[in-house]
């Protein structure tokens, strides 16, 4: 069996009286696409933020590649190979698409205390950046200002940013959210192309996307994981059906 | 164009213009240094005149004790400004928004009152500098034309330096942190160290402008560090065009020329200048550089 890349134990985070994540145990195997589903407000984004380091958990532990990273801030986790895309698109809007991705390449290339050579003429940055843009289907849009990209393209750019840091684990928070059907189809194809190359934690509402992409699915309800299993197992799970009453699994 | 001014001014027997443009160039250096942290780094420092003062006092105080070597004076001006910027930056960069503005302002006010309180160096009357900085006879700053060309060379060097830094890997990290800080953390950058280094570079560069300004006026006073001075430098940056290469020069030129014209016309020039500045900011959002072909560089 594949090695376990991420191990989460007892992760808890409260906002006042609200237990947004309430003792989550969770594992991600090297190479798998592990979907996390659950109703709105279940705590999925809060969970992802504790994995990426944006939020400090109240209790619990996060181990990544055998190392306890619970106390590390976001930028240190990123350097260790954890990349994240945001539910609400987060890109450098006043940079070109290429500059966006080149910056992520630069983050991977070590420190940036280099003051003289123009970064935009640095082939060590621009070439991998162009490759990442090609990969997500934005090859022809490299010089467009990120703010002027269509919504779907901005979501693709967000994936390119994560890819360009050469992560071992990608945390994708609703990459298909708010897309038209053509756009979401393209995004699903892109995510499918990552399968086997990247380990992915995929938070998603779009059930077509989830059931076609995921190797395993965890169901998060009221801050707790109520079931983990293959898509077939999850479909058959009575508790999950109850939580999704009315929704078509 | 600026290169040709001295012979033209000499022919017209109008040394005043030479003096004005030299002052413009010195302030262009100060504005360029602020542009690095404000324009590219998004750090709204409302205390940038502190380094003008430190640079100026380095020259004046050393001269007071008999050290007239320009190498020493200007070296101390730059070094002391860098150190003070390191201290102020280390504290203020942990904050953001209005707190950052207030802290940088507060530090500069402290230095201003320090200048006022030291009677030996003239207190709030300021102090005459008897001799200009002496560069081993290489350049005579007493010669207005030589000083003019030195200012021109140094200004071009500083504008170019800021341009290179802004477009380097370092500069891209700085601009990215201004554009979207959570994103930067998400891809692996912690902006603090980059911002602090930029803050120190800007302080050092403005310290150089301070050393030049003390030689320009042959006089130092706490007014160098007054908050209105900080505001003036900031206006130059905004008026000229934030995060543009030539903006600081354009901003310094227009602001100082308009100031001079208004001052010659009426005593209440500041009452007119204020609204003019507000209007200019409203109407040229991208500054004067944005009006020029190729002026809105990234
Ligand atoms: N910073 C916060 N402060 C207070 N409550 C929050 C905060 N972030 C999220 N919540 C609450 O925590 C719960 C889980 O939110 P979230 O993790 O965004 O859910 P999901 O992503 O599954 O829709 C929601 O009830 C939300 O209102
Ligand atoms: Mg969410």
């Amino acid at each position: 069996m594949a090695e376990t890349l991420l191990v989460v134990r007892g992760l808890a985070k409260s906002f006042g009286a609200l237990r947004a994540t309430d003792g989550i145990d969770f594992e991600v195997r090297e190479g798998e696409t592990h979907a996390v589903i659950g109703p709105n407000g279940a705590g999925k984004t809060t969970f992802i933020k504790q994995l990426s380091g944006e939020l400090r958990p109240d209790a619990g532990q996060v181990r990544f590649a055998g190392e306890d990273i619970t106390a590390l801030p976001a930028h240190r986790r990123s350097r260790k190979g954890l990349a994240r895309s945001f539910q609400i698109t987060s890109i450098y809007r006043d940079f070109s698409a290429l500059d966006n991705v080149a910056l992520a390449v630069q983050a991977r290339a070590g420190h940036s205390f280099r003051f003289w050579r123009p970064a935009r003429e640095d082939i060590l940055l621009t070439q991998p950046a162009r490759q990442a843009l090609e990969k997500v289907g934005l090859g022809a849009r490299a010089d467009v200002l990120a703010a002027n990209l269509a919504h779907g393209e901005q979501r693709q750019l967000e994936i390119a940013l994560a890819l360009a840091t050469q992560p071992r684990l990608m945390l994708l928070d609703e990459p298909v959210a708010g897309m038209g059907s053509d756009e979401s189809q393209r995004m699903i194809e892109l995510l499918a192309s990552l399968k086997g190359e990247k380990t992915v934690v995929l938070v998603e509402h779009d059930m077509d996307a989830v059931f076609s992409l995921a190797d395993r699915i965890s169901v998060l309800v009221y801050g707790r994981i109520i079931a983990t299993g293959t898509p077939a197992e999850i479909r058959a799970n009575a508790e999950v059906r109850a939580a999704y009453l009315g929704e078509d699994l | 164009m600026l290169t040709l001014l001295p012979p033209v001014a000499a022919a017209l027997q109008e040394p005043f213009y030479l003096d004005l443009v030299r002052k413009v160039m010195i302030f262009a250096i100060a504005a360029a240094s602020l542009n690095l942290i404000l324009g590219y780094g998004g750090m709204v420092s409302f205390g940038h005149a502190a380094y003008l003062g430190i640079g100026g006092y380095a020259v004046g105080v050393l001269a007071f004790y008999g050290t007239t070597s320009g190498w020493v004076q200007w070296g101390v001006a730059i070094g002391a400004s860098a150190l003070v910027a390191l201290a102020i930056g280390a504290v203020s960069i942990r904050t953001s928004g209005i707190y950052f503005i207030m802290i940088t302002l507060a530090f500069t006010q402290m230095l201003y009152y320090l200048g006022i309180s030291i009677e030996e160096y003239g207190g709030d009357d300021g102090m005459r500098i008897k001799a200009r900085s002496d560069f081993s006879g290489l350049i005579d700053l007493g010669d207005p034309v030589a000083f003019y060309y030195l200012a021109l060379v140094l200004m071009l060097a500083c504008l170019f330096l800021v341009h290179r830094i802004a477009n380097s890997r370092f500069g891209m990290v700085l601009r990215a942190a201004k554009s979207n800080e959570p994103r930067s953390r998400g891809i692996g950058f912690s902006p603090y160290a980059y911002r602090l280094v930029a803050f120190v570079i800007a302080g050092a560069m403005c310290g150089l402008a301070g050393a030049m300004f003390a030689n320009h006026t042959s006089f130092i006073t706490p007014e160098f560090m007054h908050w209105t001075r900080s505001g003036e430098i900031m206006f130059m940056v905004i008026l000229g065009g934030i995060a543009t290469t030539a903006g600081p020069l354009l901003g310094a030129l227009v602001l100082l020329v308009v100031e001079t014209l208004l001052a010659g016309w009426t005593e209440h020039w500041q009452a007119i200048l204020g609204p003019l500045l507000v209007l200019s900011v409203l109407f040229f959002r991208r500054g004067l550089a944005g009006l020029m072909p190729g002026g809105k560089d990234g």
Side-chain angles (χ1 to χ4, degrees):
Chain A
M1 200 175 90
E3 247 177 90
T4 308
L5 183 58
L6 184 81
V7 181
V8 175
R9 291 282 171 259
L11 207 63
K13 177 82 194 173
S14 297
F15 299 113
L18 177 78
R19 294 187 177 167
T21 55
D22 189 10
I24 291 182
D25 293 332
F26 182 73
E27 291 184 3
V28 179
R29 296 179 194 143
E30 187 97 53
E32 78 172 334
T33 296
H34 193 139
V36 175
I37 63 172
N40 261 326
K44 302 181 296 294
T45 296
T46 306
F47 176 50
I48 291 287
K49 281 184 176 173
Q50 291 172 86
L51 299 183
S52 68
E54 285 154 86
L55 272 181
R56 276 295 185 84
D58 301 331
Q61 196 190 44
V62 181
R63 297 183 70 83
F64 179 61
E67 188 188 349
D68 184 353
I69 60 165
T70 317
L72 291 188
H75 68 274
R76 300 270 309 276
R77 294 189 196 195
S78 171
R79 300 220 148 188
K80 296 211 175 281
L82 259 164
R84 120 117 149 124
S85 81
F86 292 78
Q87 180 174 357
I88 295 162
T89 306
S90 177
I91 50 180
Y92 302 110
R93 296 178 59 81
D94 51 344
F95 284 28
S96 72
L98 184 64
D99 284 348
N100 266 272
V101 185
L103 208 77
V105 176
Q106 197 179 313
R108 188 64 187 171
H111 74 79
S112 287
F113 289 101
R114 301 190 187 171
F115 299 90
W116 195 249
R117 283 190 52 199
R120 291 198 185 88
E121 291 162 23
D122 192 338
I123 197 141
L124 294 174
L125 301 178
T126 52
Q127 199 167 321
R130 283 189 189 281
Q131 276 168 9
L133 284 177
E134 289 292 344
K135 172 88 188 166
V136 303
L138 289 177
R141 308 284 278 161
D143 296 324
V144 179
L145 205 64
N148 295 339
L149 293 172
H151 174 72
E153 292 175 322
Q154 293 183 345
R155 303 298 295 171
Q156 288 164 278
L157 179 60
E158 180 120 5
I159 305 289
L161 273 169
L163 273 176
T165 64
Q166 294 179 10
R168 287 189 69 182
L169 175 61
M170 293 174 75
L171 309 168
L172 307 180
D173 196 354
E174 301 204 23
V176 186
M179 285 187 162
S181 62
D182 278 1
E183 284 178 336
S184 62
Q185 199 48 45
R186 219 173 307 136
M187 179 58 76
I188 291 170
E189 278 164 26
L190 166 58
L191 297 178
S193 76
L194 297 177
K195 274 182 72 75
E197 289 175 30
K198 293 286 172 198
T199 312
V200 174
V201 172
L202 174 68
V203 171
E204 191 47 69
H205 268 301
D206 184 321
M207 289 302 145
D208 289 341
V210 167
F211 280 92
S212 67
L213 291 168
D215 299 303
R216 289 198 298 161
I217 300 174
S218 289
V219 183
L220 188 65
V221 178
Y222 292 127
R224 290 170 174 275
I225 288 188
I226 60 169
T228 295
T230 64
E233 286 165 356
I234 292 301
R235 246 195 207 105
N237 187 301
E239 208 180 340
V240 174
R241 286 186 164 273
Y244 271 100
L245 213 63
E247 280 189 48
D248 206 14
L249 281 189
Chain B
M1 215 168 75
L2 289 172
T3 333
L4 291 177
L5 184 69
V8 173
L12 298 174
Q13 301 200 319
E14 288 277 15
F16 168 74
Y17 291 116
L18 211 55
D19 202 67
L20 176 62
V21 174
R22 192 171 72 198
K23 184 177 171 189
V24 165
M25 295 191 294
I26 292 170
F27 273 89
I29 294 176
S33 72
L34 180 62
N35 192 32
L36 177 65
I37 55 174
L38 173 70
Y40 297 104
M43 290 174 270
V44 187
S45 167
F46 206 155
H48 211 58
Y51 314 103
L52 214 53
I54 293 165
Y57 271 81
V59 169
V61 169
L62 284 170
F64 180 76
Y65 291 113
T67 304
T68 55
S69 160
W71 307 111
V72 175
Q73 287 180 345
W74 292 31
V76 169
I78 293 169
S81 296
L83 279 179
V84 172
L86 181 65
I88 294 179
V91 176
S92 58
I93 293 171
R94 294 191 188 284
T95 67
S96 60
I98 192 77
Y99 298 101
F100 183 83
I101 299 176
M102 296 313 284
I103 289 184
T104 49
L105 174 63
F107 274 115
T108 304
Q109 286 299 90
M110 268 167 52
L111 290 170
Y112 172 72
Y113 286 111
L114 185 70
I116 286 184
S117 66
I118 303 181
E119 291 298 331
E120 256 165 309
Y121 310 139
D124 62 359
D125 293 334
M127 173 170 76
R128 244 216 101 72
I129 304 173
K130 286 189 208 80
R132 289 217 162 96
S133 301
D134 168 28
F135 286 95
S136 328
L138 226 56
I139 308 159
D140 177 13
L141 297 186
D143 172 3
V145 175
F147 193 179
Y148 178 93
Y149 281 118
L150 177 69
L152 177 61
V153 168
L154 288 177
M155 179 200 68
L156 291 175
C158 287
L159 291 181
F160 185 60
L161 182 64
V162 170
H163 175 75
R164 291 298 292 225
I165 292 176
N167 289 288
S168 69
R169 288 190 181 202
F170 175 85
M172 293 311 283
V173 176
L174 198 63
R175 294 154 81 159
K178 175 193 177 191
S179 171
N180 187 344
E181 183 168 339
R183 206 350 132 194
S184 284
R185 292 182 185 282
I187 58 175
F189 287 117
S190 172
Y192 181 78
Y194 294 94
R195 287 184 171 145
L196 184 56
V197 168
F199 201 83
V200 170
I201 294 171
M205 190 179 287
C206 194
L208 169 67
M212 294 167 75
F213 193 46
N215 276 282
H216 173 84
T217 54
S218 289
F219 197 78
I220 51 169
T221 136
E223 294 300 316
F224 277 28
M225 298 178 274
H226 196 259
W227 68 268
T228 54
R229 207 36 112 185
S230 297
E232 238 176 21
I233 303 173
M234 192 182 292
F235 262 122
M236 290 171 184
V237 174
I238 296 170
L239 182 65
I242 223 159
T244 59
T245 303
L249 172 59
L250 296 173
L253 181 68
V254 171
L255 186 69
L256 292 177
V257 166
V258 170
E259 237 179 55
T260 308
L261 289 177
L262 288 177
W265 179 51
T266 160
E267 262 176 68
H268 307 293
W269 58 275
Q270 279 163 321
I272 299 173
L273 185 61
L276 271 184
L277 289 173
V278 173
L279 285 178
S280 67
V281 170
L282 288 178
F283 281 101
F284 324 122
R285 295 222 166 175
R286 283 180 308 161
L288 297 168
L291 300 177
M292 309 203 140
K296 47 176 179 12
D297 48 286

